[in-house]
Amino acid sequence: MSEACCSPTATLEPETCTQSAGKALVRMDWTREEIAEIYNRPLLDLIFSAATVHRQYHQADKIQQCTLLSIKTGACPEDCSYCPQSARYKTGVEAQALMDPKEVYDAALKAKTAGSSRFCMGAAWRDVKDNEQFDSVLDMVRSVSSLGLEVCCTLGMIDASQAERLKDAGLTAYNHNLDTGPEYYDSIITTRTYEERLTTLKNVREAGLNVCCGGIIGMGESPEDRIGLLHTLATLPEHPESVPVNALVASKGTPLADRPPVEIWEMLRMIATARTIMPKAMVRLSAGRVSMSESEQALCFLAGANSIFTGEKLLTTPNCDHDQDRAMMETLGLQPLVV
Ligand code: SAM
Ligand code: DTB
Ligand code: SF4
């Protein structure tokens, strides 16, 4: 008789079973059809099987708290339809020049004191230029890293040498999202290509940095587009160590301002499928958490999310109240992950 596979109800033949020694296999050869089958499972079966994989690879009672800081805000030349920081839309976001490294250090210290173990600095740039501003970002990376925090940056496209310099400065991970599936991508952004994004991811990986790469749902994409995004991520030469799942924060003035809110069921499908096909990754419940109830977030943690952004803001939009987050973790018996 065959062993039960990672689907709780499946009794697959051994050659089609995706488990090894009681653990889901880490595979880079997923087909779109296989991912679609997982994504479209009856929701409770999907959550149950994802929760099973989650417990094989992660401590299910631990949630990593991360803090974001916008170190350079707004006036971005790109046309990402979701983004309140694009100069092309009238969103009311006030442009701010690159922050002073000392202020960044203070913010990181505050985040650490508040329980964060990862600090992510975002800049509204298309790409990184080799100039004093990049030198200043390298200083910021060095000083945040000296606090013993994981350090992540999201600065737009970077080349191989910039990735190496970030690594040398102590960067843990670089965030560069694919945002959506390859077929839908051009409906959302025209000023940089999917291929260019993949090149940055390659530069990041080859420099020995961890890859943080995910996307956004709720931009009008179809389930097939979401499956396309998950397929691209899960068939990279190595899985990203970190996969942020964002629900669109519909921001006034952007072309996506009137998109209806994402249903929790869609968020759960996305998180559970990401968890199932990339078992080792940190799956981050990212933008959009502010619109979710605690019970909805609890389902996301059950489905395999193991990280949240804490602090009053994401980059430019409001985030959940930190005291309420603490109370929620207490209620759910979750502890902050210490790295
Ligand atoms: N400018 C850099 C870039 O685009 O690579 C870094 C900053 S950018 C704000 C980082 C990511 O935030 C985007 O790739 C996108 O996935 C996410 N993001 C931006 N605006 C968002 C929104 N309104 N709702 C959800 N996610 C958003
Ligand atoms: C990611 O995937 N989500 C974060 C982080 N990576 C940089 C950013 C979310 C931004 C939400 C809109 C804002 O606050 O401006
Ligand atoms: Fe600029 Fe990044 Fe916003 Fe796109 S997502 S407009 S590149 S800040």
Side-chain angles (χ1 to χ4, degrees), residues 68 84-85 120 154 175 177 215 244 246 249 286-287 309 314-317:
L68 280 167
Q85 301 199 65
C120 178
T154 181
N175 166 250
N177 290 339
N246 296 278
V249 179
S286 302
F309 287 115
L314 292 171
L315 289 171
T316 64
T317 62

Side-chain angles (χ1 to χ4, degrees), residues 72-89 122-127 154-157 176 179 189 191-192 197 216 315:
K72 186 270 166 187
T73 306
C76 181
E78 299 296 272
D79 72 351
C80 312
S81 310
Y82 49 77
C83 188
Q85 301 199 65
S86 167
R88 296 166 192 244
Y89 320 128
W125 285 328
R126 167 187 166 75
D127 52 17
T154 181
L155 315 168
M157 296 186 280
H176 198 62
D179 285 343
I189 302 144
T191 48
R192 73 171 79 154
R197 296 224 182 209
I216 309 176
L315 289 171

Side-chain angles (χ1 to χ4, degrees), residues 18 160 214 266:
T18 53
E266 302 178 77

